[in-house]
Amino acid sequence: MPERPSVLFVCVHNAGRSQMAAGWLEHLGEGRIEVRSAGSAPADRVNPVAVAAMREVGIDITEAAPRVLTPEAVMASDVVVTMGCGDACPVFPGRRYEDWALDDPAGQELAAVRRIRDALRERVAALVADLV
């Protein structure tokens, strides 16, 4: 692993899970890990319920914007974490891939999104411990 590893979080719309995971990694990684996120079919904006859930724990993702998943983003990342994007994520040799099975926050109430947020925190904390 390089001195400053990079992680790419991928979900379908890049509007909920991947944005919350990126927010957690920015926070917990304290600048020691480069953070990216993308989606196989990006939405227009980040899910406002995900924004609200992250705000509750002091993490501001209001400036985040959904981005399209590109092969270049995958190639530039040491670890690629997928969340429900199926076969849409390109696979390249030499990359570490993880698939996190988590509910999609789209259309969910805040209480359900809080559970997803908290599950993401646990997984991201373990990833940080593994990478630094």
Side-chain angles (χ1 to χ4, degrees):
M1 203 60 61
E3 186 173 310
R4 184 170 183 247
S6 59
V7 175
L8 170 64
F9 293 105
V10 182
C11 66
V12 175
H13 300 297
N14 190 219
R17 293 168 289 192
S18 56
Q19 294 289 356
M20 290 191 293
W24 277 122
L25 188 54
E26 290 281 352
H27 178 73
L28 298 172
E30 300 174 331
R32 298 171 291 175
I33 300 169
E34 186 176 350
V35 183
R36 297 182 178 90
S37 70
S40 53
D44 300 354
R45 63 188 172 111
V46 174
N47 180 337
V49 181
V51 172
M54 294 302 285
R55 186 179 304 120
E56 289 181 345
V57 294
I59 297 174
D60 182 6
I61 61 170
T62 57
E63 296 299 315
R67 290 184 165 76
V68 69
L69 175 65
T70 64
E72 293 79 19
V74 176
M75 290 287 294
S77 302
D78 300 301
V79 180
V80 179
V81 178
T82 59
M83 294 172 266
C85 65
D87 295 332
C89 186
V91 175
F92 294 99
R95 305 289 166 263
R96 173 176 154 192
Y97 292 88
E98 294 187 17
D99 185 53
W100 293 356
L102 295 162
D103 290 337
D104 187 346
Q108 303 267 5
E109 298 287 329
L110 183 57
V113 176
R114 284 180 184 128
R115 288 189 293 276
I116 297 164
R117 174 200 67 202
D118 295 345
L120 281 165
R121 185 196 189 290
E122 288 180 27
R123 291 176 188 225
V124 169
L127 184 60
V128 169
D130 185 51
L131 293 177
V132 295

